Amino acid sequence: MLAQWQMLFTGLVILSLAGIAGSTVAARKRLAQESGTDDEAKPLLREIPGWAIWAGMACLVAVGLLATWWLVTSYGSGDSKTIEQNRIKLEAIKLAGSVVVGTGGVAALLLAARRQRVSELDLLQRDRVADANRHDADERRATEQYTAAAEQLASDKAPVRMAGMYALSRLGETNKNLRQTIINLLCAYLRMPDISLNDSASPSGESSDCQEDGAAVVQRREHSSQSIVLDLASGPLAALTSLAPDLSSQQQQERQVRLTAQRLLSHHLRPNRGDDGEPTSRSYWPDMDIELADSNLHEIDFTGCEVRNADFRRTQFHGVTMFEGAQFRQSTWFGGAQFYNTTWFENAQFHDVAEFHGAQFHHTAWFESAQFHEYTRFSGAEFHDDAGFSGARFHYCVGFDNVQLKHAEFSGAEFHDGVFRDTDFRDYTGFSGVHFHGHTRFESARFHDHAEFDDAQFHGYADFKKAQFHDDARFRGAQFHNITRFEVGYFAKEPYLDDAWAHMTLDEHQQSTWPNGWTTDEVVLEDAREVRWWRLTREKLRLRFA
């Protein structure tokens, strides 16, 4: 029996020493790993201090010795009956010991899981540090490339400046966070004083190198839609390097540099949307703002481009200007701009405020089928040649007050609220088939030539007070659905209101006034809505058949 207790005691001691040794080795290995990590990396979990490890070892040895001594003294002697009882008690104690050992095993598993968790967190931390280092390296490299390209723009050599612009373009392709900055830099270059302008060019005309017909514009646009590739061995750069360094050559070189900046802008702002409405151009940079106020632009082609905010205030547009099908997502400013050649805004979309206040169009301006979704202002603008707004849609209030128009065509357009107060129509004016859905004001407007409102529909208040018609005024087939006022108007010739109708309530009819020599006859009464149809007739005819 004593030999059994000795073997039990020896086994407990061996197990205790083995556990202590294993714990010590694991702790030292962990401490060695943590000591080898980056000094700047913070510990993920609090490390176990050394004194706690030694204290735990001492406790294990003490508990083992105490348990051995207690078992030997309590159950190591006695008669046979007592020995049998002691054996049963020992079995119970052995079972309890097994439970204790199992609990210790669970604790060991928890410690192992903790070590695994620490290892995983350490690996994740290392990955994060590596990613941060890579990101910092990329940022530094991009900043260095941007700085180098920006410095090239300050060069006195045109090829170097153009190379810097292409370098900025390539940099923006791989660094989305730099795209707006690159756009701003290109715009800033175009806002700088333009030495390429010919001093002999008149304000209303263009120098010979700015003249371009429509076919040439389309051909140039198709060529520019291809990928922009920098080729130092041929093309405009090679030609520029052979130019003599006199003033004329410097102007030509600067013109090419500016054209390059404009092409890069349109290249990155044109999505080339497919049938599904998604951009097909990989070089498209969405949600860009452009600020080109007070700049000089030459033969700008923004056909199909999409921008967020656009500022062209006081900008001078030389040569043919193309904004056909352009999309302006937010505010657009053209106040005080000068357009010296043909300007195209066909099918353009203005989704927010569109400001053309004080703009001057020295050549033809085409806005056919353009869409203006918010407040639009052309107040004080001057159109020195044909102005085409056929099929345009003004979904909100539009101001054409104090505008000077030469030959204006608005046929088929739609207005929500239109203000043409004090507007000067110097040549033919066409409003045939126009729908005015809200208030329409032509107060004190002056029509110096033929004015045509045939089949126009005025759904809201229509005000022609003090309007002056110095030639034919035609309103054949027009319909007036609300209060209409023509009092104190001037008609050099008898106006034509044949087949015109007033469709309004009796109260609205009583407040309406018509041109001299014209009155209304009640034709149909619609009892359900108390709205009546009134036919416009000449007073002399009415008296003749009374």
Side-chain angles (χ1 to χ4, degrees):
M1 188 67 183
L2 182 59
Q4 294 178 355
W5 287 111
Q6 289 177 350
M7 291 178 62
L8 179 61
F9 175 78
T10 303
L12 289 174
V13 172
I14 293 174
L15 289 175
S16 300
L17 293 177
I20 293 171
S23 301
T24 303
V25 171
R28 289 186 177 277
K29 184 177 180 181
R30 176 60 185 165
L31 290 174
Q33 291 178 351
E34 292 181 353
S35 62
T37 58
D38 189 2
D39 294 338
E40 297 181 357
K42 296 183 179 180
L44 301 174
L45 295 174
R46 291 185 60 186
E47 63 180 16
I48 301 176
W51 64 266
I53 297 175
W54 291 106
M57 293 168 56
C59 290
L60 287 174
V61 173
V63 169
L65 294 175
L66 182 61
T68 302
W69 174 80
W70 177 68
L71 290 172
V72 171
T73 56
S74 299
Y75 306 102
S77 61
D79 53 17
S80 59
K81 184 178 181 179
T82 304
I83 291 175
E84 182 64 21
Q85 293 176 351
N86 290 342
R87 188 182 65 79
I88 295 174
K89 292 180 179 180
L90 281 174
E91 291 295 333
I93 293 173
K94 287 169 64 178
L95 179 60
S98 299
V99 173
V100 172
V101 173
T103 304
V106 172
L109 289 176
L110 292 176
L111 288 175
R114 182 181 184 275
R115 286 194 299 271
Q116 180 65 25
R117 173 63 174 165
V118 170
S119 300
E120 292 176 354
L121 291 177
D122 182 64
L123 181 60
L124 291 175
Q125 179 68 9
R126 290 174 181 271
D127 290 341
R128 284 194 292 266
V129 172
D131 291 341
N133 291 335
R134 284 193 297 269
H135 177 73
D136 292 342
D138 292 340
E139 290 292 326
R140 285 193 298 269
R141 183 167 55 255
T143 302
E144 292 172 357
Q145 293 175 352
Y146 174 82
T147 303
E151 289 176 351
Q152 287 181 288
L153 298 184
S155 173
D156 58 348
K157 298 180 179 179
V160 176
R161 297 197 296 274
M162 294 174 67
M165 291 179 179
Y166 281 105
L168 288 172
S169 175
R170 290 195 302 271
L171 181 61
E173 294 288 354
T174 55
N175 294 271
K176 294 184 179 180
N177 58 331
L178 288 178
R179 289 179 176 178
Q180 184 61 65
T181 303
I182 293 171
I183 294 292
N184 293 343
L185 186 57
L186 293 176
C187 291
Y189 187 90
L190 292 173
R191 291 197 306 269
M192 295 175 63
D194 186 3
I195 65 172
S196 70
L197 288 177
N198 191 345
D199 296 335
S200 62
S202 62
S204 60
E206 290 291 341
S207 58
S208 59
D209 57 350
C210 284
Q211 297 294 341
E212 187 176 18
D213 58 14
V217 172
V218 174
Q219 198 172 30
R220 172 169 54 82
R221 187 192 315 159
E222 292 176 351
H223 175 72
S224 63
S225 64
Q226 301 173 357
S227 299
I228 298 179
V229 179
L230 178 62
D231 188 358
L232 293 174
S234 62
L237 284 179
L240 288 177
T241 57
S242 63
L243 294 176
D246 56 82
L247 181 60
S248 177
S249 297
Q250 290 179 0
Q251 289 178 336
Q252 295 178 32
Q253 293 180 38
E254 178 62 18
R255 176 65 57 82
Q256 292 300 321
V257 174
R258 288 179 172 272
L259 290 176
T260 297
Q262 293 175 184
R263 293 190 188 106
L264 287 174
L265 283 176
S266 61
H267 179 68
H268 292 302
L269 297 176
R270 185 177 292 119
N272 293 329
R273 297 189 179 276
D275 295 336
D276 56 355
E278 294 298 322
T280 60
S281 173
R282 296 181 179 180
S283 300
Y284 171 56
W285 297 354
D287 299 325
M288 293 290 107
D289 299 329
I290 55 176
E291 185 177 353
L292 290 167
D294 299 299
S295 61
N296 284 278
L297 304 178
H298 303 270
E299 302 169 4
I300 191 73
D301 186 2
F302 274 4
T303 302
C305 291
E306 298 184 10
V307 298
R308 188 168 53 190
N309 293 288
D311 188 355
F312 293 96
R313 284 176 288 189
R314 300 174 301 278
T315 298
Q316 298 191 33
F317 295 89
H318 305 271
V320 176
T321 300
M322 305 290 294
F323 285 96
E324 188 175 357
Q327 299 270 350
F328 300 93
R329 299 296 181 186
Q330 294 185 17
S331 300
T332 307
W333 305 90
F334 284 92
Q338 300 277 344
F339 299 86
Y340 293 113
N341 210 311
T342 304
T343 304
W344 297 84
F345 280 94
E346 278 189 296
N347 296 302
Q349 296 265 354
F350 299 85
H351 297 273
D352 209 318
V353 174
E355 176 65 70
F356 288 85
H357 173 70
Q360 293 198 30
F361 298 85
H362 298 275
H363 211 277
T364 52
W366 305 109
F367 288 84
E368 279 91 345
S369 301
Q371 299 270 348
F372 300 85
H373 295 274
E374 280 292 338
Y375 175 73
T376 305
R377 187 165 73 143
F378 283 89
S379 304
E382 296 182 12
F383 294 83
H384 299 279
D385 209 321
D386 294 351
F389 288 88
S390 299
R393 300 289 184 269
F394 298 90
H395 300 276
Y396 201 67
C397 179
V398 56
F400 278 92
D401 44 309
N402 294 299
V403 172
Q404 295 186 23
L405 290 156
K406 187 178 180 182
H407 182 109
E409 183 62 75
F410 290 88
S411 299
E414 291 190 16
F415 294 84
H416 185 271
D417 291 323
V419 179
F420 294 85
R421 188 185 296 111
D422 290 315
T423 300
D424 220 7
F425 299 92
R426 298 181 177 180
D427 207 327
Y428 168 82
T429 303
F431 283 94
S432 298
V434 173
H435 285 251
F436 298 92
H437 296 282
H439 289 350
T440 305
R441 299 182 179 275
F442 283 90
E443 301 160 84
S444 302
R446 295 170 295 280
F447 298 87
H448 297 277
D449 207 320
H450 183 78
E452 187 172 304
F453 288 85
D454 292 350
D455 298 313
Q457 295 206 22
F458 298 85
H459 297 275
Y461 179 87
D463 191 351
F464 287 87
K465 287 185 297 185
K466 299 182 180 180
Q468 300 179 22
F469 295 86
H470 296 273
D471 207 322
D472 291 339
R474 296 166 55 99
F475 289 85
R476 287 180 175 175
Q479 293 186 12
F480 303 90
H481 296 270
N482 209 312
I483 299 173
T484 305
R485 295 182 177 275
F486 279 93
E487 68 260 29
V488 201
Y490 172 76
F491 292 89
K493 298 181 180 181
E494 182 181 5
Y496 297 89
L497 282 86
D498 303 85
D499 299 321
W501 294 83
H503 184 228
M504 57 186 68
T505 65
L506 180 61
D507 181 64
E508 292 169 345
H509 177 264
Q510 292 174 348
Q511 298 183 55
S512 299
T513 58
W514 308 102
N516 290 332
W518 287 87
T519 185
T520 56
D521 280 342
E522 181 180 348
V523 177
V524 179
L525 172 64
E526 299 179 5
D527 296 328
R529 295 183 298 164
E530 298 183 356
V531 178
R532 306 181 183 185
W533 282 97
W534 312 79
R535 180 173 55 195
L536 273 295
T537 60
R538 291 183 175 89
E539 286 186 334
K540 59 182 179 180
L541 294 179
R542 183 172 183 271
L543 292 174
R544 179 182 302 174
F545 295 102

